Amino acid sequence: MQDIPVVIVGGGLSGLYAAFLLEQKGIAYRLLEARDTFGGRIEVAKYSDAHATNNSTDIDQAESSAAFDLGPSWFWPDYQTQLSTLIESLDLSRFAQFEAGDMMVERAANQPPVRMQGYKSAPPSMRLVGGMAALIEALYARLDASCIMTSQTVKQLNRTPQHIEVQSEDTSGHVTGHVTTFRAQHVLLALPPRLVEGRIVFQPVLPQDLSEQWRETATWMAPHAKYVAVYESPFWRNTGLSGAARSAIGPLAEIHDASTLEGDGALFGFFGVPAQVRQSVSDTVLKEHCRAQLVRLFGAQASNPKAEYLKDWAQDPLTAMPADANGNGQHAVAPPSKSKTGVWQDCLTGCGSEWSAQFPGYVAGAIDAATVAVRSLPADILRQ
């Protein structure tokens, strides 16, 4: 059994940033992540150009790769100032989402798509060179790797008079099933509230009202699926199109330019097809329908992407619960992040993005929620 002041459950952006803040304060911690990688809902697909030969060096391969976001893509520095400041401090490069030109609209199956004037986000939305994963990689590089463990699924939290016992199962291939118990003074829950309530056993149970509020808080991205098609160049721009589209036919309801700053053309779309329907169709068939839709909207050049990716978050058990499949995909209102009474008071705090009062579910919300949670740790921990 390992004793540690703070245990962080979850290695997405909020968990990593909480660890970053704890290290700055000199507070010992352990971060437990169920996946074998970090980032949570921040995930990218990396494509290496076909011209990279088998004789290329590793550096050449890295330089010829491009990253495409399968989770969140954008941030808004004009009003998400804390996130923007962090990105600047980590020396990450940003660029504006391409929105110049007209957009395409599909209103009905028996009507051809129409071209209409596009619009620009206000304030402008920004993307990171290397995708949002660049933020994850930069934070991780600044942490003590010995304090961070992957393939660790937290199954149960037991409250004792002195500690919280955190029972974590090793899910890596060679020692699956081995349970390690950590004794913590405080636990930071860097997961979506619904996932915490549904996947972790609390002994004794959480207060009923708190448990219900966490269970009813929708998880951002959980009902969604994204499709990305990569091309040699953003050919749609040559005819004055922005790459944006809206469709009442689908399968993609909302489409945007996802091209890289370096010149790789790409389009991405959010599915408008419900999760239950998506799960009844193979990825191959879904991709075929997506390509056909892009041809309708942007012409024959869209028919042969050099790469395509599909990520269905509703089928990711470390993101979605069954209730998320019926969600409307909207950002939820932040629930309480801690218990105000009972045995779980002052020892357990939610710090995932959905607990951010300012930006629930957004990338900026992960930074905000982690900041608030670490700042509100009990004084005896902050003094250590």
Side-chain angles (χ1 to χ4, degrees), residues 230-242:
V230 183
Y231 302 94
E232 292 294 342
S233 65
F235 59 85
W236 48 92
R237 299 181 187 178
N238 298 334
T239 56
L241 292 174
S242 66

Side-chain angles (χ1 to χ4, degrees), residues 156-157 189 196-197 200-206 214 344 348:
Q156 186 163 332
L157 300 181
L189 298 167
V196 169
E197 196 278 337
I200 299 176
V201 174
F202 291 84
Q203 185 61 41
V205 297
L206 293 170
W214 289 4
W344 293 106
L348 185 73

